[in-house]
Amino acid sequence: MKITGVDAVPFALPIRRRFRWNGLDQELGEFVLIRIGTDEGFVGYGEATPLATWGDEHGRHGGETLDTVVSIAEKILSRHLRGQDPTAISAIVEQMDSLVIGHTYAKCAVEMALHDLWGKSLGTPVYKLLGGAVRPGVVVAHMVGLMDVGEAVAEAEAACADGIRALQIKGGQDADRDIELVRDLRRRLPAHVRLRLDANQGYRHVKTALRVARELEDCRIDYIEQPVAGLADMRQVTGAAKMPIIADESCWSPRDALDLVGMQGADAISIYLAKAGGFQKAGHVAAIAEAAGLPCDINGSIESAIGNAANLAFALSSRPVSIPAVIPVSAPAGCHPCRIGGHYFEDDIVTRPFGFADGALLPLEGPGLGIEIDEDKVRKYAL
Ligand SMILES: [Mg+2]
Protein backbone atom coordinates (compact mmCIF):
# COMPACT_ATOMS: atom_id res chain seq x y z
CA MET A 1 0.00 0.00 0.00
CA LYS A 2 1.31 3.44 -0.94
CA ILE A 3 0.20 6.93 0.02
CA THR A 4 -1.18 8.82 -2.99
CA GLY A 5 -1.96 12.16 -1.39
CA VAL A 6 -2.51 14.18 1.76
CA ASP A 7 -5.02 16.97 2.02
CA ALA A 8 -6.07 19.23 4.85
CA VAL A 9 -9.57 20.66 5.30
CA PRO A 10 -10.24 23.27 7.99
CA PHE A 11 -13.78 23.02 9.31
CA ALA A 12 -15.94 24.30 12.15
CA LEU A 13 -18.79 22.66 14.06
CA PRO A 14 -21.71 24.53 15.61
CA ILE A 15 -21.24 24.82 19.39
CA ARG A 16 -23.93 24.08 22.01
CA ARG A 17 -22.84 27.07 24.09
CA ARG A 18 -19.78 29.27 24.61
CA PHE A 19 -16.93 27.60 26.46
CA ARG A 20 -14.11 29.43 28.19
CA TRP A 21 -11.11 28.55 30.30
CA ASN A 22 -8.25 30.62 31.67
CA GLY A 23 -6.19 31.79 28.71
CA LEU A 24 -8.68 30.63 26.06
CA ASP A 25 -9.77 33.65 24.05
CA GLN A 26 -11.16 32.07 20.90
CA GLU A 27 -14.24 29.98 20.18
CA LEU A 28 -13.94 26.22 20.40
CA GLY A 29 -15.06 24.06 17.51
CA GLU A 30 -12.51 24.76 14.78
CA PHE A 31 -10.46 21.88 13.42
CA VAL A 32 -8.31 20.66 10.56
CA LEU A 33 -9.24 17.34 9.01
CA ILE A 34 -6.33 15.43 7.48
CA ARG A 35 -7.22 12.96 4.75
CA ILE A 36 -4.60 10.51 3.45
CA GLY A 37 -5.42 8.54 0.31
CA THR A 38 -3.78 5.29 -0.81
CA ASP A 39 -3.43 3.26 -4.00
CA GLU A 40 -5.51 0.48 -2.41
CA GLY A 41 -8.52 2.72 -1.91
CA PHE A 42 -8.25 3.02 1.87
CA VAL A 43 -8.60 6.56 3.22
CA GLY A 44 -7.18 7.51 6.61
CA TYR A 45 -8.44 10.43 8.70
CA GLY A 46 -6.72 12.52 11.32
CA GLU A 47 -7.59 15.74 13.09
CA ALA A 48 -5.87 18.72 14.64
CA THR A 49 -7.57 21.07 17.10
CA PRO A 50 -5.01 23.87 17.34
CA LEU A 51 -5.59 26.83 19.67
CA ALA A 52 -3.32 29.77 18.88
CA THR A 53 -3.03 30.96 22.48
CA TRP A 54 -2.87 27.61 24.27
CA GLY A 55 0.58 26.32 25.07
CA ASP A 56 3.08 25.71 27.80
CA GLU A 57 4.26 28.18 30.38
CA HIS A 58 7.30 29.59 28.62
CA GLY A 59 6.04 29.52 25.04
CA ARG A 60 8.23 26.52 24.20
CA HIS A 61 5.25 24.59 22.88
CA GLY A 62 2.05 25.57 21.14
CA GLY A 63 0.96 28.48 19.02
CA GLU A 64 -0.35 26.40 16.12
CA THR A 65 -3.39 27.57 14.15
CA LEU A 66 -5.66 26.15 11.46
CA ASP A 67 -3.46 27.86 8.85
CA THR A 68 -0.15 26.56 10.21
CA VAL A 69 -1.50 22.99 10.37
CA VAL A 70 -2.78 23.17 6.77
CA SER A 71 0.49 24.67 5.60
CA ILE A 72 2.76 22.17 7.40
CA ALA A 73 0.64 19.20 6.27
CA GLU A 74 0.15 20.21 2.65
CA LYS A 75 3.39 22.04 1.88
CA ILE A 76 6.01 20.22 3.96
CA LEU A 77 4.82 16.78 5.06
CA SER A 78 2.67 15.82 2.08
CA ARG A 79 5.38 15.59 -0.56
CA HIS A 80 7.51 13.37 1.69
CA LEU A 81 4.60 11.09 2.46
CA ARG A 82 3.55 10.47 -1.13
CA GLY A 83 4.69 7.02 -2.30
CA GLN A 84 5.43 5.76 1.21
CA ASP A 85 3.90 2.75 2.98
CA PRO A 86 1.48 4.36 5.48
CA THR A 87 2.02 1.53 7.96
CA ALA A 88 5.74 2.41 8.29
CA ILE A 89 4.65 4.76 11.05
CA SER A 90 7.85 4.84 13.15
CA ALA A 91 9.94 5.78 10.12
CA ILE A 92 7.46 8.47 9.06
CA VAL A 93 7.42 9.95 12.59
CA GLU A 94 11.20 10.21 12.45
CA GLN A 95 11.06 11.83 9.00
CA MET A 96 8.46 14.36 10.09
CA ASP A 97 10.72 15.40 12.98
CA SER A 98 13.66 15.79 10.62
CA LEU A 99 11.60 17.97 8.25
CA VAL A 100 10.29 20.48 10.76
CA ILE A 101 10.79 21.05 14.48
CA GLY A 102 7.73 21.35 16.68
CA HIS A 103 4.26 21.58 15.08
CA THR A 104 3.10 18.61 17.13
CA TYR A 105 -0.60 19.21 16.36
CA ALA A 106 0.05 18.92 12.61
CA LYS A 107 2.27 15.86 13.03
CA CYS A 108 -0.23 14.24 15.38
CA ALA A 109 -3.04 14.66 12.83
CA VAL A 110 -0.95 12.94 10.14
CA GLU A 111 0.17 10.15 12.48
CA MET A 112 -3.49 9.66 13.53
CA ALA A 113 -4.49 9.21 9.88
CA LEU A 114 -1.67 6.67 9.43
CA HIS A 115 -3.01 4.65 12.38
CA ASP A 116 -6.49 4.83 10.86
CA LEU A 117 -5.08 3.44 7.58
CA TRP A 118 -3.10 0.73 9.39
CA GLY A 119 -6.25 -0.46 11.15
CA LYS A 120 -8.44 -0.22 8.05
CA SER A 121 -5.93 -2.19 5.97
CA LEU A 122 -6.01 -5.00 8.57
CA GLY A 123 -9.72 -4.74 9.38
CA THR A 124 -8.80 -4.08 13.05
CA PRO A 125 -9.72 -1.27 15.45
CA VAL A 126 -6.80 0.97 16.46
CA TYR A 127 -7.30 0.24 20.16
CA LYS A 128 -6.49 -3.42 19.42
CA LEU A 129 -3.37 -2.43 17.47
CA LEU A 130 -2.30 -0.45 20.56
CA GLY A 131 -2.46 -3.57 22.71
CA GLY A 132 -6.17 -4.07 23.27
CA ALA A 133 -8.54 -2.67 25.86
CA VAL A 134 -7.46 -2.68 29.50
CA ARG A 135 -10.82 -1.25 30.58
CA PRO A 136 -14.37 -1.82 29.31
CA GLY A 137 -14.97 1.89 28.66
CA VAL A 138 -13.53 5.33 29.36
CA VAL A 139 -15.24 7.38 32.07
CA VAL A 140 -16.03 10.83 30.70
CA ALA A 141 -15.18 13.94 32.69
CA HIS A 142 -17.53 16.69 31.53
CA MET A 143 -15.82 20.07 31.29
CA VAL A 144 -17.60 22.90 33.10
CA GLY A 145 -16.13 26.04 31.55
CA LEU A 146 -15.44 29.39 33.21
CA MET A 147 -18.82 30.94 33.99
CA ASP A 148 -20.49 32.38 37.05
CA VAL A 149 -21.23 30.07 39.95
CA GLY A 150 -24.97 29.73 39.28
CA GLU A 151 -24.48 28.87 35.61
CA ALA A 152 -21.69 26.42 36.41
CA VAL A 153 -23.84 24.64 38.99
CA ALA A 154 -26.70 24.34 36.47
CA GLU A 155 -24.35 22.94 33.80
CA ALA A 156 -22.82 20.45 36.27
CA GLU A 157 -26.18 19.27 37.59
CA ALA A 158 -27.55 18.81 34.07
CA ALA A 159 -24.45 16.82 33.04
CA CYS A 160 -24.82 14.54 36.06
CA ALA A 161 -28.50 14.04 35.21
CA ASP A 162 -27.20 12.62 31.90
CA GLY A 163 -25.18 10.00 33.78
CA ILE A 164 -21.88 11.89 33.93
CA ARG A 165 -19.78 10.66 36.90
CA ALA A 166 -16.83 13.06 36.72
CA LEU A 167 -16.43 16.80 36.19
CA GLN A 168 -13.45 18.91 35.18
CA ILE A 169 -14.26 22.35 36.59
CA LYS A 170 -12.44 25.26 34.98
CA GLY A 171 -11.06 27.93 37.28
CA GLY A 172 -7.84 29.82 37.89
CA GLN A 173 -8.97 33.42 37.43
CA ASP A 174 -10.58 34.03 40.84
CA ALA A 175 -9.55 31.76 43.70
CA ASP A 176 -12.51 32.75 45.89
CA ARG A 177 -15.00 31.99 43.10
CA ASP A 178 -13.35 28.58 42.54
CA ILE A 179 -13.50 27.69 46.24
CA GLU A 180 -17.17 28.74 46.45
CA LEU A 181 -18.08 26.80 43.29
CA VAL A 182 -16.34 23.56 44.21
CA ARG A 183 -17.73 23.62 47.76
CA ASP A 184 -21.20 24.26 46.35
CA LEU A 185 -20.89 21.42 43.81
CA ARG A 186 -19.67 18.99 46.48
CA ARG A 187 -22.75 19.82 48.58
CA ARG A 188 -25.25 19.56 45.74
CA LEU A 189 -24.00 16.69 43.58
CA PRO A 190 -24.33 12.98 44.37
CA ALA A 191 -21.43 11.74 46.54
CA HIS A 192 -20.06 9.43 43.81
CA VAL A 193 -19.41 12.28 41.35
CA ARG A 194 -15.67 12.85 40.97
CA LEU A 195 -14.47 16.47 40.88
CA ARG A 196 -11.30 17.97 39.46
CA LEU A 197 -10.46 21.68 39.42
CA ASP A 198 -8.43 22.85 36.39
CA ALA A 199 -6.78 26.24 36.95
CA ASN A 200 -4.94 26.32 33.60
CA GLN A 201 -1.89 27.89 35.35
CA GLY A 202 -4.06 30.74 36.56
CA TYR A 203 -3.21 31.08 40.26
CA ARG A 204 0.04 32.93 39.50
CA HIS A 205 1.45 32.44 43.02
CA VAL A 206 2.21 29.23 44.86
CA LYS A 207 0.58 30.61 48.01
CA THR A 208 -2.70 31.27 46.18
CA ALA A 209 -2.73 27.71 44.87
CA LEU A 210 -1.99 26.35 48.34
CA ARG A 211 -4.81 28.43 49.84
CA VAL A 212 -7.25 26.95 47.30
CA ALA A 213 -5.96 23.44 48.04
CA ARG A 214 -6.32 23.97 51.79
CA GLU A 215 -9.85 25.40 51.54
CA LEU A 216 -10.96 22.42 49.43
CA GLU A 217 -9.35 19.71 51.58
CA ASP A 218 -12.71 18.44 52.84
CA CYS A 219 -14.34 18.42 49.37
CA ARG A 220 -12.92 15.07 48.24
CA ILE A 221 -11.61 16.44 44.95
CA ASP A 222 -9.51 14.06 42.88
CA TYR A 223 -6.99 16.61 41.58
CA ILE A 224 -6.14 20.22 41.13
CA GLU A 225 -4.93 20.48 37.54
CA GLN A 226 -2.03 22.77 36.63
CA PRO A 227 -2.62 25.31 39.44
CA VAL A 228 0.49 27.36 38.56
CA ALA A 229 2.88 27.78 35.64
CA GLY A 230 6.27 26.14 35.43
CA LEU A 231 7.85 23.06 36.96
CA ALA A 232 9.51 24.89 39.84
CA ASP A 233 6.21 26.29 41.13
CA MET A 234 4.37 23.02 40.34
CA ARG A 235 6.93 21.21 42.47
CA GLN A 236 6.29 23.53 45.42
CA VAL A 237 2.51 23.12 45.19
CA THR A 238 2.77 19.33 44.75
CA GLY A 239 5.09 19.05 47.74
CA ALA A 240 2.92 21.11 50.07
CA ALA A 241 -0.71 20.38 49.05
CA LYS A 242 -2.54 17.48 50.66
CA MET A 243 -4.53 16.67 47.54
CA PRO A 244 -2.93 15.34 44.36
CA ILE A 245 -1.81 17.73 41.62
CA ILE A 246 -2.00 16.83 37.91
CA ALA A 247 0.22 18.49 35.29
CA ASP A 248 -1.18 19.56 31.93
CA GLU A 249 0.55 22.60 30.40
CA SER A 250 3.82 21.48 32.09
CA CYS A 251 3.94 18.15 30.26
CA TRP A 252 3.91 17.88 26.48
CA SER A 253 6.72 15.64 25.29
CA PRO A 254 8.37 12.51 26.71
CA ARG A 255 11.27 14.80 27.70
CA ASP A 256 8.84 16.98 29.68
CA ALA A 257 7.54 13.85 31.40
CA LEU A 258 11.07 12.86 32.41
CA ASP A 259 11.74 16.36 33.79
CA LEU A 260 8.45 16.32 35.67
CA VAL A 261 9.16 12.94 37.23
CA GLY A 262 12.72 13.98 38.10
CA MET A 263 11.52 17.23 39.71
CA GLN A 264 8.54 15.61 41.43
CA GLY A 265 6.50 18.33 39.79
CA ALA A 266 3.13 16.55 39.89
CA ASP A 267 1.29 13.48 41.18
CA ALA A 268 -0.28 12.70 37.78
CA ILE A 269 0.03 13.62 34.10
CA SER A 270 -2.58 14.82 31.63
CA ILE A 271 -1.71 13.42 28.21
CA TYR A 272 -2.88 14.82 24.87
CA LEU A 273 -2.00 13.00 21.67
CA ALA A 274 -1.41 16.42 20.08
CA LYS A 275 0.92 17.78 22.79
CA ALA A 276 3.18 14.76 22.35
CA GLY A 277 2.81 14.58 18.55
CA GLY A 278 0.73 11.42 18.10
CA PHE A 279 -0.01 7.97 19.47
CA GLN A 280 3.62 6.86 19.58
CA LYS A 281 5.02 9.73 21.61
CA ALA A 282 1.93 9.93 23.82
CA GLY A 283 2.66 6.26 24.50
CA HIS A 284 6.16 7.22 25.57
CA VAL A 285 4.78 9.82 27.98
CA ALA A 286 2.45 7.16 29.37
CA ALA A 287 5.33 4.70 29.74
CA ILE A 288 7.39 7.22 31.73
CA ALA A 289 4.38 7.99 33.92
CA GLU A 290 3.72 4.29 34.48
CA ALA A 291 7.35 3.61 35.39
CA ALA A 292 7.18 6.45 37.93
CA GLY A 293 3.85 5.28 39.32
CA LEU A 294 1.92 8.35 38.14
CA PRO A 295 -1.64 7.87 36.83
CA CYS A 296 -2.70 9.77 33.70
CA ASP A 297 -5.72 11.02 31.90
CA ILE A 298 -6.22 11.58 28.21
CA ASN A 299 -7.35 15.08 27.57
CA GLY A 300 -7.39 17.58 24.75
CA SER A 301 -9.03 20.68 23.38
CA ILE A 302 -12.59 19.40 22.81
CA GLU A 303 -11.99 17.57 19.55
CA SER A 304 -14.39 16.52 16.80
CA ALA A 305 -15.23 12.86 16.25
CA ILE A 306 -11.90 11.96 14.62
CA GLY A 307 -9.77 13.22 17.50
CA ASN A 308 -12.22 11.80 20.00
CA ALA A 309 -12.05 8.35 18.39
CA ALA A 310 -8.25 8.51 18.60
CA ASN A 311 -8.31 9.66 22.23
CA LEU A 312 -10.78 6.90 23.08
CA ALA A 313 -8.57 4.23 21.46
CA PHE A 314 -5.55 5.48 23.41
CA ALA A 315 -7.39 5.69 26.75
CA LEU A 316 -8.88 2.21 26.32
CA SER A 317 -5.53 0.59 25.68
CA SER A 318 -3.10 2.50 27.91
CA ARG A 319 -2.65 1.05 31.40
CA PRO A 320 -1.78 4.25 33.34
CA VAL A 321 -4.67 6.23 31.78
CA SER A 322 -7.03 5.54 34.67
CA ILE A 323 -8.31 9.07 35.40
CA PRO A 324 -11.65 10.16 33.86
CA ALA A 325 -11.03 11.69 30.43
CA VAL A 326 -12.21 15.00 29.00
CA ILE A 327 -13.35 13.43 25.72
CA PRO A 328 -16.56 14.76 24.15
CA VAL A 329 -19.28 12.29 23.22
CA SER A 330 -19.47 12.74 19.44
CA ALA A 331 -22.78 12.44 17.61
CA PRO A 332 -24.41 13.71 14.44
CA ALA A 333 -27.22 16.27 14.81
CA GLY A 334 -30.32 14.92 16.50
CA CYS A 335 -28.60 11.74 17.78
CA HIS A 336 -26.73 12.90 20.88
CA PRO A 337 -27.33 10.56 23.83
CA CYS A 338 -27.05 13.47 26.32
CA ARG A 339 -28.62 16.90 26.63
CA ILE A 340 -25.51 18.39 28.31
CA GLY A 341 -23.04 15.69 29.42
CA GLY A 342 -20.12 15.40 26.98
CA HIS A 343 -22.21 17.46 24.55
CA TYR A 344 -20.25 20.41 23.17
CA PHE A 345 -21.29 20.52 19.50
CA GLU A 346 -24.70 20.45 17.85
CA ASP A 347 -23.43 18.24 15.03
CA ASP A 348 -20.38 16.22 14.01
CA ILE A 349 -18.88 14.79 10.83
CA VAL A 350 -19.63 11.13 11.59
CA THR A 351 -22.60 9.03 10.50
CA ARG A 352 -23.30 7.47 13.92
CA PRO A 353 -23.10 8.55 17.58
CA PHE A 354 -20.39 7.12 19.81
CA GLY A 355 -21.52 4.44 22.25
CA PHE A 356 -22.06 5.95 25.71
CA ALA A 357 -23.39 4.15 28.78
CA ASP A 358 -23.24 4.79 32.54
CA GLY A 359 -21.07 7.86 32.09
CA ALA A 360 -18.47 6.09 29.92
CA LEU A 361 -17.53 5.99 26.23
CA LEU A 362 -17.59 2.46 24.81
CA PRO A 363 -15.05 1.02 22.35
CA LEU A 364 -15.55 1.76 18.65
CA GLU A 365 -15.35 -1.67 17.07
CA GLY A 366 -14.99 -0.71 13.39
CA PRO A 367 -11.62 -0.97 11.61
CA GLY A 368 -9.11 1.87 12.10
CA LEU A 369 -10.44 4.65 14.29
CA GLY A 370 -13.83 2.93 14.08
CA ILE A 371 -15.82 5.84 12.65
CA GLU A 372 -17.44 6.51 9.30
CA ILE A 373 -16.87 10.07 8.07
CA ASP A 374 -19.85 11.87 6.54
CA GLU A 375 -18.16 13.68 3.63
CA ASP A 376 -21.32 15.74 2.99
CA LYS A 377 -20.95 17.13 6.50
CA VAL A 378 -17.24 17.81 5.89
CA ARG A 379 -18.24 19.89 2.84
CA LYS A 380 -21.03 21.59 4.78
CA TYR A 381 -18.76 22.67 7.63
CA ALA A 382 -15.56 23.35 5.64
CA LEU A 383 -14.18 26.85 6.22
MG1 LIG B 1 -6.03 21.35 31.53
Side-chain angles (χ1 to χ4, degrees), residues 21 54 105 248 270-272 298-303 311 326:
W21 59 73
W54 195 86
Y105 279 69
D248 179 359
S270 187
I271 299 175
Y272 300 11
I298 185 86
N299 201 324
S301 307
I302 311 297
E303 281 74 10
N311 283 337
V326 183

Side-chain angles (χ1 to χ4, degrees), residues 168 170 198 200 225 248:
Q168 185 208 44
K170 292 295 190 184
D198 183 5
N200 287 107
E225 181 173 334
D248 179 359

Side-chain angles (χ1 to χ4, degrees), residues 16 68 125 132 165 173 179 203 274 303 313 317 321 323 347 362:
R16 174 177 62 78
T68 68
R165 295 188 265 148
Q173 290 190 343
I179 293 164
Y203 292 138
E303 281 74 10
S317 58
V321 180
I323 301 170
D347 198 1
L362 306 176

Side-chain angles (χ1 to χ4, degrees), residues 81 101 221:
L81 286 163
I101 290 175
I221 67 175

